[in-house]
């Protein structure tokens, strides 16, 4: 079995920096590499699964294949709106990545940290010059 990389929120924060993430999402036609590849067809995004869990809680699963990186995987996010009152984060989740060559797991990542970076970068992306 291959070694599985596990990255926590603090490890992701140390590995990524906001300007680099903004640059990664700067393309006006794509939000991240997976979406660029989807537009060019070497990536496939599978249908999203969404479920209301009752009250102020829901979860969704996003998944697909990133052919150029030889991986497929999923991101499961759970949102619990009442968690702020408990001193807990409202959003929690994991990204699971697998080798598309062998099916072996290759990484488990904190999806909350990745989502925070991606959402912030998408809002702060540098706009292309006019004209």
């Amino acid at each position: 079995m291959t070694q599985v990389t596990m990255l926590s929120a603090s490890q992701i924060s140390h590995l990524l920096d906001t300007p680099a993430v903004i640059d990664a999402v700067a393309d006006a036609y794509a939000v991240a590499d997976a979406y660029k590849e989807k537009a060019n067809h070497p990536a496939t995004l599978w249908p999203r699964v969404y479920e209301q869990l009752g009250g102020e809680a829901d979860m969704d699963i996003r998944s697909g294949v990133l052919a150029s990186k030889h991986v497929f995987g999923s991101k499961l996010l759970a949102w619990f709106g009442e968690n702020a009152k408990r001193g807990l984060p409202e959003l929690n989740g994991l990204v699971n990545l697998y080798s598309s060559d062998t099916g072996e797991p290759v990484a488990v990542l904190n999806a909350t940290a990745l989502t925070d970076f991606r959402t912030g970068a998408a809002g702060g992306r540098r706009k292309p010059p006019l004209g």
Side-chain angles (χ1 to χ4, degrees), residues 40-102:
N40 296 323
H41 304 294
T44 303
L45 299 178
W46 297 323
R48 179 177 154 203
V49 175
Y50 172 83
E51 186 65 34
Q52 181 69 35
L53 299 174
E56 288 191 43
D58 63 42
M59 60 74 62
D60 68 80
I61 302 170
R62 299 165 192 229
S63 57
V65 176
L66 193 55
S68 70
K69 305 296 183 195
H70 299 272
V71 295
F72 68 92
S74 63
K75 175 172 81 169
L76 187 147
L77 288 171
W79 175 78
F80 282 69
E82 296 292 317
N83 274 1
K85 296 175 187 173
R86 299 177 181 121
L88 298 170
E90 292 182 9
L91 190 66
N92 290 286
L94 294 173
V95 171
N96 295 294
L97 294 177
Y98 301 86
S99 165
S100 58
D101 298 324
T102 66

